[in-house]
Amino acid sequence: MTDQQFLGVNTVSDKTEIKNALINKISDLDFEIDIEKIFNYIHCSQRLIKNTDSIATDDEIVITDEYREIIKDFNAEDYGTPEGLIRYFEILYDNPATRFNKFLWKAVLDSLKAFRGNELENYLQPAADFLNAKPFLKSDVLFLIDDTFPFGFFFPKTKNEENKEFWQQYGFVHHLLSAGNLELDLHADVINTGQFSGSQLDDIYKRLMNSSNYYRNNLLPQAFNALSDGLPAEIKPLLIWQRELNILYKAVFVEKVENITDIFQNTLHSALTAFPDDEQLLYIRAKFFSHFYEPEQFKEKIIETLKLIPNHAKCLFLLGKCYLQLESPRAALIIFENLKKINPLNMQYVTSAAIASRKYIDFCISEHDPKDNHKQYYVNIISTLIEKEMFDEVRVFADEAPKQDGDIRALLLYSNDVETFLVTGEKNKEELIEALSLTKDKEIIRKIKEHYLHDLLYFSEIQSEKDFIFEYYRENPNDSMANYQMGMFYFADNNHEKAYDFLLKAKEINPDKISNYYNLARVTSILGIHSEALEYANIYLLYNKYNVIVNEIYCDCTYSLQQYRNAHNGAKWLLSICRNNEFDPKYFFYFTTSLSYYMDKIETEHHNAAYVNDMLELYDKYPKPDSFWTNDNGSRSMYWAANLCYKTGNYDKGLDYLQCILENVKEYNWPLLEKCKFQLLPECLHGLQQYEKLIHLLEMPTLEVLQKQPDDPSVRLSCFYISYAYSVQGNDEKKMQWALSCIKCYLQMDNPPVDWLANNLLVNFQACLEKNMKSYLVAFGTIYLDFIKTPQPGHVWLTHHFANFYLEEGNQYEALKYHKMCIEFGWMFPDEWKELIDNSQDFINAFNLSENLK
Amino acid sequence: MSTITTYYKFENPTNLSKSQLWLIATSAMLTQLNKEFHDTLLPHHIYGTEALLEDSKQCLLRDWDTKNIADLSDTIKYLHTKKTFEPVQNSWEFLSESEFDKTKYFGNNMMELRNLTDMTRNYQYDLNNSDFAWHYGRCAWVIRHAFYNGFITEEETWNLLKENGNLIKKSFDSWESFGLSYLVGAQFWKRDNYNEVTMRETKNNITFLLSNKNSPWLNVSWNDYE
């Protein structure tokens, strides 16, 4: 039977018909005896209503022809001024039919931007004044206005004594533009049903705004009066009645204000006179009754209400509470359990269901008569008690149940084993197999098998149960646990693709089972599907943030996805939860590396050195596992720790880390050693200005590398800093020797930094000129001209000075060659080095003249 | 031979008074979550180990910034004064149903507010003391662990538990209202990811505490402490 047939509905898209059908179905039912049946109808109606919601189309307002003519073009002269715009704003605002039509406002603002885009500053003050006077616009329109106008020019960046008056006048507008009108968004359309004029709307919105402010300051009388004073009952909107009653409810029943119960009753009466069918008003009335009536009388009252609004969850809850007071725990339990399904996030239903469940079991134990009960009664109740881990109670029923019956015997063996497992963590598999042999009941068999396979700790255990798992799955192919166990079997068997398929199906069947997410995170992480693994890990960590494995997956995934901030924070958390034997070098690696990469994404002036220092203190504090130096991740983590020190100028500490790495890392890890020794070490020593130490520590090892492989680019930085160190010491010969080595090493790189090299070559060339170091000068000059292929202004300068150098050397022809080159480069950069170009031209002219004379 | 892996029976092995058991029962939510003892002052009774003590110490330091009696005093002060869900209730509790309906359509950038208004709607005028139990209940657990770590003496522990217990007794009228307030606090804590899965274990624990014969809340009456 379909839901439609079950409820007797003709039109599935008509909510009123569905509601009336439900009312008809339950009208003659007993709210205690038939409560399960009533919930069947309620669930059915909710499914149908849910479908209705999906059928309904989005009725968002669009610009209809009716409004199209309202839209004005801002090249039309009347509207091309701030005054014109405000007049137009007022037309839209004052008409309730257009005030909340975002598209009309958007059309106006778009047109304004198109035709007056460069004059928008002139509109700021009028727009702000308009909003001060007419603030009741929804957030979407306010944000459009804020996006259109450059209000940054209007609102001062700071608040101080000097602009106090300004902020008093425009602070509200500033708040509206930045935060929107959130509360108005919630009730604007509910109030604006066409019944009120623009000014009446403003009055109502203002009342609501003032009332909310009073309420938030716990001024309940003022909050109530702001709504009720001077607003006639005949025109008062439903929402105002509801708000008034909420305020009064708080005053009477929460704040226990005396002598206002009459006001509450009168207001409720007037509200229900105006809106007799409103669900919220009926509920408030029922809740009011619950405080004054005895349970038996209240039951009549609430059932009366429920016959009008049968699917009102809060009213059903009141009935459940009433049944608890009346010692009818069965009906109460059914109500709360069903409400838990309807709204699993209302914790009142959870606590009430727990109370009802306890009462119901006690009731069953004390009230039931063994003679009246048949076997199925015992099967049901013992199964429920096992599920709730109430084993003392199982024993009570076991004493009276027909123990010779195979199903009962199986259940009791199963119960015994579940209890033992809870206390000791051990199962008696022989006894469970015996239990299975005693029963033919499919549900009992399923439960026993589920328990049998529950919590197998090791993959070897899972693999050894292959036949059992496959049979369990064959018997229950659509059961979440059976699919889960199949997934785990394939996981244990290293077939991760199949494991993923089964675990995914298990999750789809039962999305609430958390172990599905745990294992899906593991499998997808192994399969390298990082984004999906991260989703599952995130879900699992919300449930248990202390799980080391899932936290590790979180770090793996965020790092792989280059979410370095998350990876660093994940590793920080992971390290904080590790027991002493759980620290893994990888966690240290994520901790420092991710932080370093994250800092690379942030501009240097925003680097927080204090935070980095705190993190490095944490890094030092955590115990390093034995595998720290045998595992690349450990040494790499320390390299990145040193790198963080370098980035934040903490060179001493960086040096400590580097020395620690150099002492502990084995030779085979050459790339890391290379980075530490020939890059970061000289950089830190340079930072500390320890040039003697720099030369002492680096010159020989660098020479050794260069002897093995001339111009090895891996030592380029080392050469650079050695050169710099010698320059500080005033040893020009050594400085130039290492500078030349540095350049040559750079030239061997796959992608050498051309601009830096060009500049460096020119600087060195100039230094050689000044110091008259001829051999280096020729070397730097030649490399520059050979290597820097794209002409730059530097070519003009260098060729000119090269020419002069040769002239001084007495080589006129070489000088001529370079002066000519200077002229050629000078054509490309006529505005650079004009004087040098003129000089070169003079030289060429003079040279040509003398040649002619010859 | 089997060993005890999980707390199970409520037996009162150290012959504590009803009033003392009541004070310990105020820590029941975290005690149940961590599978500790509900009926002894020490969280692991006589089954404590070096590793468990290390875990406890690490947890107090990491989650509570507590490594000595001075820190403990700060933590207790924080837990006794911190307001979390109450200001939210005060800001939105007066809304009508139609307004609450609209909050469901808040965009993802307002997910937290959407979840908080849903909570406000669910418990509208039904929580007299908001989510205070979330703070007081955890406070009782922290005090027990401070004793376990040797930060305070047994006498100091009972005094602190009493001070905390008096607040609880004044604020709530049953284990049920105490448990509900605690659940709401847990929900507020997870307001960014407000769903069934994240609440499941806490819900199961409270269900156990309110319904199982081995729960301290069924063995110690709410009125056993004056």
Side-chain angles (χ1 to χ4, degrees):
Chain A
M1 189 186 280
T2 63
D3 281 346
Q4 202 177 338
Q5 291 164 334
F6 183 61
L7 206 60
V9 178
N10 293 322
T11 321
V12 281
S13 58
D14 186 344
K15 280 187 189 176
T16 312
E17 192 188 338
I18 295 169
K19 188 184 165 187
N20 289 336
L22 174 65
I23 291 170
N24 279 337
K25 283 286 181 188
I26 57 106
S27 61
D28 294 329
L29 295 177
D30 183 307
F31 269 74
E32 186 171 350
I33 297 163
D34 300 323
I35 191 70
E36 272 178 310
K37 208 172 180 180
I38 288 172
F39 267 104
N40 286 341
Y41 285 122
I42 290 172
H43 290 307
C44 176
S45 74
Q46 289 189 331
R47 284 193 296 273
L48 288 170
I49 286 172
K50 204 174 169 188
N51 289 341
T52 316
D53 288 340
S54 62
I55 295 165
T57 52
D58 189 355
D59 62 348
E60 192 173 17
I61 304 161
V62 293
I63 299 177
T64 59
D65 287 340
E66 184 187 350
Y67 295 132
R68 199 167 293 282
E69 65 183 39
I70 295 177
I71 300 168
K72 300 296 177 193
D73 223 345
F74 275 81
N75 62 352
E77 54 186 82
D78 283 357
Y79 296 95
T81 61
E83 296 73 29
L85 174 78
I86 299 307
R87 270 203 309 280
Y88 190 70
F89 273 7
E90 283 168 352
I91 291 169
L92 288 182
Y93 184 95
D94 291 341
N95 181 352
T98 57
R99 185 188 298 190
F100 300 124
N101 188 326
K102 182 178 80 175
F103 296 96
L104 290 175
W105 290 84
K106 188 172 185 314
V108 177
L109 295 166
D110 284 347
S111 174
L112 180 71
K113 272 191 285 188
F115 294 106
R116 297 284 183 271
N118 50 0
E119 302 164 23
L120 291 176
E121 280 185 49
N122 302 333
Y123 290 77
L124 295 175
Q125 169 101 31
D129 288 335
F130 167 79
L131 289 174
N132 246 344
K134 295 178 183 290
F136 297 110
L137 285 165
K138 287 205 282 186
S139 300
D140 49 9
V141 171
L142 290 168
F143 294 149
L144 279 176
I145 294 174
D146 188 44
D147 283 346
T148 303
F149 297 104
F151 279 108
F153 295 113
F154 184 68
F155 294 108
K157 285 195 170 51
T158 51
K159 287 182 187 176
N160 50 40
E161 271 304 307
E162 284 170 19
N163 58 31
K164 196 173 166 187
E165 218 169 281
F166 173 90
W167 282 110
Q168 273 172 355
Q169 193 179 350
Y170 292 110
F172 176 60
V173 176
H174 183 263
H175 174 78
L176 279 181
L177 291 170
S178 55
N181 225 338
L182 189 61
E183 205 178 310
L184 183 87
D185 294 343
L186 300 177
H187 56 238
D189 296 325
V190 180
I191 303 282
N192 183 24
T193 52
Q195 177 190 357
F196 301 110
S197 68
S199 58
Q200 283 174 319
L201 274 184
D202 279 352
D203 174 57
I204 292 170
Y205 292 144
K206 194 171 181 183
R207 284 169 181 274
L208 285 163
M209 184 176 74
N210 290 339
S211 172
S212 306
N213 290 337
Y214 285 130
Y215 186 96
R216 288 176 178 132
N217 289 303
N218 210 25
L219 299 167
L220 298 183
Q222 290 88 332
F224 178 75
N225 292 337
L227 296 175
S228 65
D229 281 357
L231 192 60
E234 348 29 293
I235 62 154
K236 194 182 283 187
L238 172 62
L239 187 138
I240 301 274
W241 288 114
Q242 292 166 333
R243 286 252 202 135
E244 282 181 8
L245 286 163
N246 281 345
I247 296 164
L248 288 169
Y249 189 90
K250 182 175 182 181
V252 178
F253 298 108
V254 180
E255 301 292 333
K256 316 277 185 203
V257 179
E258 287 176 359
N259 303 326
I260 53 166
T261 312
D262 287 348
I263 301 177
F264 186 96
Q265 273 183 299
N266 291 339
T267 309
L268 183 59
H269 180 260
S270 305
L272 278 165
T273 306
F275 299 97
D277 302 327
D278 180 64
E279 294 195 1
Q280 190 184 341
L281 296 179
L282 291 169
Y283 166 66
I284 293 174
R285 186 179 64 180
K287 206 168 176 187
F288 176 77
F289 288 157
S290 74
H291 291 276
F292 294 101
Y293 284 90
E294 289 302 313
E296 195 59 54
Q297 291 169 297
F298 178 67
K299 187 177 87 173
E300 301 305 320
K301 291 284 178 193
I302 188 69
I303 289 173
E304 213 173 275
T305 304
L306 277 165
K307 291 203 168 184
L308 298 171
I309 46 172
N311 57 359
H312 196 283
K314 288 189 175 185
C315 284
L316 286 162
F317 180 69
L318 289 177
L319 178 64
K321 284 286 192 188
C322 181
Y323 280 138
L324 271 184
Q325 287 178 302
L326 291 168
E327 302 296 332
S328 303
R330 177 189 162 273
L333 181 59
I334 292 168
I335 289 174
F336 297 136
E337 288 294 346
N338 276 286
L339 288 175
K340 271 165 68 179
K341 285 181 200 159
I342 291 171
N343 184 355
L345 289 168
N346 188 330
M347 298 301 139
Q348 287 184 101
Y349 305 156
V350 176
T351 50
S352 298
I355 297 283
S357 126
R358 181 69 251 167
K359 284 201 171 187
Y360 178 57
I361 290 156
D362 288 341
F363 170 83
C364 290
I365 291 171
S366 62
E367 301 290 324
H368 84 287
D369 183 346
K371 288 193 290 291
D372 297 342
N373 297 324
H374 47 77
K375 182 190 115 181
Q376 198 53 42
Y377 170 82
Y378 289 104
V379 168
N380 290 345
I381 198 142
I382 291 173
S383 297
T384 307
L385 291 170
I386 296 170
E387 211 169 286
K388 292 179 183 291
E389 299 175 7
M390 294 178 171
F391 302 105
D392 290 341
E393 292 84 344
V394 169
R395 279 185 275 281
V396 173
F397 288 94
D399 285 344
E400 295 163 358
K403 278 196 277 295
Q404 69 288 0
D405 181 89
D407 293 342
I408 297 288
R409 282 170 67 195
L411 261 182
L412 294 177
L413 282 172
Y414 161 58
S415 168
N416 192 39
D417 202 72
V418 174
E419 187 177 8
T420 309
F421 179 73
L422 270 175
V423 181
T424 66
E426 287 178 15
K427 288 181 227 165
N428 186 336
K429 289 191 174 179
E430 289 75 27
E431 233 172 61
L432 290 172
I433 299 290
E434 189 194 334
L436 286 170
S437 71
L438 293 170
T439 180
K440 295 272 183 289
D441 184 306
K442 281 184 181 170
E443 186 54 16
I444 296 174
I445 291 171
R446 190 192 64 76
K447 283 181 175 169
I448 295 174
K449 288 192 171 177
E450 184 176 323
H451 168 64
Y452 181 98
L453 292 170
H454 174 66
D455 234 4
L456 297 179
L457 287 181
Y458 304 106
F459 277 175
S460 56
E461 271 186 273
I462 296 171
Q463 283 172 308
S464 68
E465 298 294 353
K466 181 180 176 182
D467 294 341
F468 195 94
I469 291 169
F470 276 62
E471 191 183 306
Y472 174 47
Y473 174 70
R474 266 196 301 279
E475 290 164 2
N476 307 281
N478 293 317
D479 180 80
S480 172
M481 275 311 291
N483 279 278
Y484 171 79
Q485 294 296 355
M486 286 295 280
M488 290 311 291
F489 170 76
Y490 283 115
F491 195 177
D493 209 35
N494 273 327
N495 187 339
H496 298 121
E497 284 82 4
K498 275 202 157 181
Y500 172 70
D501 292 343
F502 278 106
L503 288 170
L504 198 62
K505 189 171 171 199
K507 188 209 81 170
E508 276 159 12
I509 296 168
N510 182 6
D512 295 341
K513 191 171 166 54
I514 200 68
S515 52
N516 287 327
Y517 297 96
Y518 173 72
N519 288 300
L520 273 167
R522 292 166 71 195
V523 166
T524 44
S525 171
I526 293 170
L527 289 169
I529 317 170
H530 296 299
S531 53
E532 202 173 328
L534 185 58
E535 269 178 46
Y536 299 132
N538 273 327
I539 293 171
Y540 184 82
L541 288 173
L542 290 169
Y543 163 79
N544 176 12
K545 64 178 180 173
Y546 296 96
N547 186 291
V548 171
I549 293 173
V550 181
N551 275 294
E552 185 182 323
I553 292 171
Y554 177 86
C555 292
D556 279 337
C557 296
T558 46
Y559 184 81
S560 303
L561 295 166
Q562 299 185 9
Q563 298 174 6
Y564 295 122
R565 185 182 180 177
N566 290 344
H568 164 71
N569 285 330
K572 184 175 157 188
W573 171 251
L574 180 52
L575 287 167
S576 79
I577 59 169
C578 281
R579 292 187 178 91
N580 278 347
N581 60 350
E582 287 175 332
F583 288 99
D584 188 301
K586 200 196 266 188
Y587 309 158
F588 291 95
F589 170 77
Y590 289 136
F591 184 67
T592 54
T593 313
S594 305
L595 180 57
S596 185
Y597 282 158
Y598 176 58
M599 284 174 76
D600 289 344
K601 291 184 173 180
I602 302 169
E603 286 175 31
T604 316
E605 67 259 34
H606 296 131
H607 285 182
N608 183 346
Y611 177 79
V612 174
N613 283 337
D614 284 351
M615 291 305 101
L616 291 173
E617 269 178 35
L618 272 182
Y619 175 82
D620 295 342
K621 193 191 84 179
Y622 289 121
K624 309 293 179 291
D626 293 341
S627 58
F628 193 81
W629 294 111
T630 55
N631 181 315
D632 277 358
N633 286 323
S635 39
R636 283 159 72 199
S637 76
M638 198 169 279
Y639 166 78
W640 287 104
N643 190 285
L644 285 168
C645 293
Y646 176 69
K647 276 184 181 144
T648 52
N650 192 352
Y651 305 117
D652 269 327
K653 198 173 171 71
L655 215 53
D656 290 344
Y657 284 132
L658 290 169
Q659 278 169 345
C660 188
I661 297 169
L662 294 172
E663 282 164 22
N664 288 288
V665 174
K666 304 288 176 281
E667 268 301 313
Y668 63 82
N669 196 346
W670 175 246
L672 181 72
L673 281 178
E674 183 187 281
K675 277 177 151 185
C676 290
K677 204 171 193 173
F678 298 119
Q679 292 179 27
L680 210 44
L681 182 65
E683 282 176 329
C684 286
L685 286 166
H686 170 64
L688 290 166
Q689 301 185 356
Q690 293 183 4
Y691 296 113
E692 202 172 320
K693 189 172 179 183
L694 192 153
I695 293 167
H696 173 70
L697 285 176
L698 286 163
E699 187 166 32
M700 282 314 291
T702 310
L703 276 174
E704 280 169 21
V705 172
L706 291 172
Q707 273 163 12
K708 277 186 201 161
Q709 191 184 332
D711 307 333
D712 185 338
S714 70
V715 293
R716 62 190 186 279
L717 271 178
S718 179
C719 294
F720 175 82
Y721 284 110
I722 295 169
S723 166
Y724 190 90
Y726 276 122
S727 134
V728 173
Q729 290 187 349
N731 187 337
D732 292 333
E733 178 63 30
K734 284 275 191 186
K735 177 200 164 186
M736 287 304 165
Q737 179 192 330
W738 282 104
L740 191 58
S741 295
C742 168
I743 296 288
K744 287 178 176 173
C745 292
Y746 267 105
L747 294 179
Q748 295 305 313
M749 288 176 72
D750 290 337
N751 290 304
V754 177
D755 290 343
W756 182 84
L757 277 172
N759 188 48
N760 189 277
L761 283 161
L762 290 176
V763 168
N764 283 318
F765 183 88
Q766 186 176 18
C768 291
L769 269 178
E770 286 162 8
K771 307 271 181 189
N772 198 24
M773 300 175 82
K774 293 176 189 168
S775 60
Y776 292 113
L777 182 139
V778 174
F780 288 124
T782 311
I783 293 173
Y784 182 92
L785 292 173
D786 285 350
F787 181 71
I788 311 299
K789 303 283 186 201
T790 311
Q792 301 178 358
H795 282 71
V796 182
W797 179 86
L798 186 128
T799 47
H800 178 82
H801 286 97
F802 227 163
N804 286 344
F805 164 75
Y806 280 113
L807 192 63
E808 279 177 26
E809 291 292 300
N811 188 342
Q812 287 225 351
Y813 290 102
E814 278 299 301
L816 180 66
K817 182 178 110 187
Y818 284 104
H819 276 308
K820 281 183 176 169
M821 283 167 76
C822 177
I823 297 297
E824 281 169 23
F825 289 124
W827 290 336
M828 292 179 218
F829 307 100
D831 298 330
E832 308 276 346
W833 307 114
K834 277 183 178 168
E835 202 178 324
L836 301 187
I837 297 166
D838 291 345
N839 282 344
S840 286
Q841 191 59 56
D842 289 347
F843 174 86
I844 294 167
N845 292 344
F847 183 86
N848 287 342
L849 187 62
S850 70
E851 283 297 298
N852 288 341
L853 287 173
K854 278 180 196 173
Chain B
M1 188 180 152
S2 301
T3 53
I4 292 178
T5 57
T6 319
Y7 166 83
Y8 183 48
K9 299 273 183 190
F10 191 94
E11 290 170 332
N12 190 12
T14 54
N15 293 318
L16 297 173
S17 68
K18 281 280 181 192
S19 175
Q20 287 174 317
L21 288 170
W22 190 95
L23 290 172
I24 293 169
T26 59
S27 72
M29 296 76 103
L30 276 184
T31 302
Q32 183 66 19
L33 178 75
N34 292 300
K35 314 241 181 302
E36 295 165 354
F37 278 69
H38 288 292
D39 52 1
T40 59
L41 182 58
L42 281 169
H44 304 289
H45 183 29
I46 52 170
Y47 302 103
T49 61
E50 281 296 313
L52 286 170
L53 183 60
E54 188 55 38
D55 281 356
S56 167
K57 182 176 287 178
Q58 192 184 12
C59 172
L60 286 186
L61 185 62
R62 180 192 59 225
D63 297 346
W64 300 99
D65 213 6
T66 297
K67 56 186 178 307
N68 51 39
I69 189 168
D71 295 340
L72 176 68
S73 168
D74 291 345
T75 303
I76 292 173
K77 193 175 169 193
Y78 167 83
L79 288 169
H80 283 175
T81 52
K82 182 71 183 166
K83 300 278 182 284
T84 42
F85 184 46
E86 194 190 35
V88 178
Q89 288 176 287
N90 197 42
S91 290
W92 300 104
E93 205 161 28
F94 53 81
L95 292 186
S96 67
E97 284 292 302
S98 58
E99 289 169 290
F100 278 125
D101 279 341
K102 288 262 180 185
T103 65
K104 283 193 282 190
Y105 300 102
F106 282 163
N108 282 342
N109 58 339
M110 291 164 75
M111 192 167 66
E112 184 179 316
L113 183 60
R114 188 173 67 202
N115 296 339
L116 288 174
T117 48
D118 189 51
M119 282 176 68
T120 308
R121 177 188 210 167
N122 280 338
Y123 309 120
Q124 196 178 22
Y125 302 120
D126 281 345
L127 290 175
N128 285 350
N129 280 291
S130 192
D131 61 348
F132 296 174
W134 168 250
H135 303 297
Y136 301 160
R138 292 182 306 153
C139 186
W141 185 87
V142 170
I143 293 168
R144 285 178 71 194
H145 274 261
F147 170 57
Y148 182 41
N149 277 270
F151 301 160
I152 45 176
T153 64
E154 183 171 346
E155 192 189 346
E156 286 167 335
T157 309
W158 287 120
N159 286 338
L160 288 173
L161 283 173
K162 273 182 204 163
E163 191 190 319
N164 188 55
N166 292 341
L167 278 177
I168 293 170
K169 188 74 184 182
K170 201 172 75 182
S171 307
F172 303 98
D173 58 8
S174 63
W175 290 122
E176 184 187 359
S177 64
F178 181 57
L180 173 62
S181 170
Y182 183 89
L183 273 173
V184 174
Q187 222 173 353
F188 180 88
W189 194 250
K190 297 181 176 185
R191 61 194 177 278
D192 289 346
N193 289 282
Y194 177 71
N195 58 51
E196 251 189 290
V197 174
T198 57
M199 287 302 297
R200 167 134 312 178
E201 193 173 23
T202 321
K203 280 161 74 171
N204 288 345
N205 288 338
I206 296 284
T207 299
F208 172 90
L209 291 170
L210 287 170
S211 63
N212 199 292
K213 271 195 169 172
N214 284 295
S215 154
W217 293 357
L218 263 68
N219 283 275
V220 185
S221 153
W222 177 257
N223 294 322
D224 281 341
Y225 183 77
E226 296 298 334

